[in-house]
Amino acid sequence: GVLTRMLHADPELVGVGCVIFDEFHERSLQADLGLALCLDARSALDADFRVLVMSATLDGARVAALLGGAPVVDVPGRQHPIEIIYAGRGAPLLPRSAESAERAVASLVRRAVDETGGDLLVFLPGAGEIRRVQAQLADLASARLQFRPLYGELPAAEQDAALNASVPGVRRVVLATNIAETSVTIPGVTAVIDCGLARRSRFDPDRSKCILRSCHSAVRITRSHPP
């Protein structure tokens, strides 16, 4: 919404040299509208800012055609084979049951620590779940195995501790919300544990904003095997 507001106030974006749309393959109303408004400003108002669209998986030729034949810069990357292990299926695990999702995740973290050699990235729906899982794994914490929470409300220094590469000889278990799914890259991770739960906001005009939890079908571990 920030870009839309800027274009509404100043369609030519005076003083802006380039507008970058990163991770464009995710597709959202805000990104599509922002790109449409930028292209309209360039064609109708002769605005002189450039437009750069970036993505690791997007069909570059189609986007280049949309941009009027823009040049495509292709940077090849390395691909690593991965192994996906589904640790649970069926009905969603209840929060306070004996087999809650938090206990299942804590058990999977212990397993992944034994079976892998790099850092671990664990996806949980919110800060409360992160704190409780970290408490359940407190006995594993040591000078060689550190637990790092990662969510939006953390101070910048604590977020940096989760995002920066670990020092040699020290493994990290990063307990994160879905902020780490696409917005950031965490170096050193060789296994990802996804609890299958995410928390999303929805605006209800009768009851104001509600926080909802959506459940997916499986708890899984994803392990990467670098060549």
Side-chain angles (χ1 to χ4, degrees):
V2 175
L3 176 60
T4 303
R5 187 165 62 248
M6 292 176 64
L7 287 164
H8 180 73
D10 178 15
E12 296 184 63
L13 292 182
V14 176
V16 174
C18 182
V19 180
I20 301 175
F21 294 87
D22 194 13
E23 302 288 1
F24 193 71
H25 64 270
E26 294 179 8
R27 301 303 300 272
S28 66
L29 176 62
Q30 292 82 6
D32 287 1
L33 176 61
L35 180 58
L37 292 175
C38 285
L39 296 180
D40 185 62
R42 283 172 51 85
S43 62
L45 303 176
D46 198 25
D48 60 357
F49 61 83
R50 296 188 176 188
V51 175
L52 175 63
V53 178
M54 300 171 58
S55 169
T57 59
L58 197 65
D59 185 344
R62 293 181 62 186
V63 176
L66 175 67
L67 298 179
V72 178
V73 179
D74 186 14
V75 181
R78 294 185 301 166
Q79 293 185 344
H80 305 289
I82 63 171
E83 176 186 6
I84 299 178
I85 303 171
Y86 290 97
R89 292 180 179 273
L93 300 172
L94 299 177
R96 293 179 177 82
S97 67
E99 296 297 331
S100 69
E102 294 169 14
R103 294 189 182 187
V105 168
S107 176
L108 292 175
V109 170
R110 295 178 186 274
R111 174 180 169 183
V113 167
D114 293 335
E115 296 181 2
T116 65
D119 294 344
L120 308 179
L121 174 60
V122 184
F123 286 118
L124 292 159
E129 289 81 3
I130 289 175
R131 287 191 290 266
R132 289 190 289 271
V133 169
Q134 186 172 0
Q136 294 181 42
L137 298 169
D139 60 296
L140 290 182
S142 65
R144 294 185 175 272
L145 183 63
Q146 300 177 352
F147 288 85
R148 299 292 186 185
L150 178 61
Y151 51 91
E153 296 178 357
L154 279 177
E158 295 186 41
Q159 294 189 39
D160 290 341
L163 296 173
N164 295 334
S166 57
V167 299
V170 178
R171 297 179 65 187
R172 295 177 303 159
V173 178
V174 180
L175 305 172
T177 60
N178 57 6
I179 188 178
E181 283 185 346
T182 57
S183 304
V184 297
T185 299
I186 301 177
V189 172
T190 59
V192 177
I193 298 175
D194 188 349
C195 75
L197 296 172
R199 193 171 276 122
R200 295 184 174 90
S201 62
R202 184 183 70 181
F203 183 78
D204 187 325
D206 295 326
R207 294 179 296 174
S208 187
K209 186 169 69 175
C210 305
I211 301 299
L212 303 179
R213 179 181 297 172
S214 61
C215 181
H216 304 292
S217 60
V219 181
R220 67 182 183 182
I221 305 177
T222 303
R223 295 187 292 199
S224 111
H225 303 279

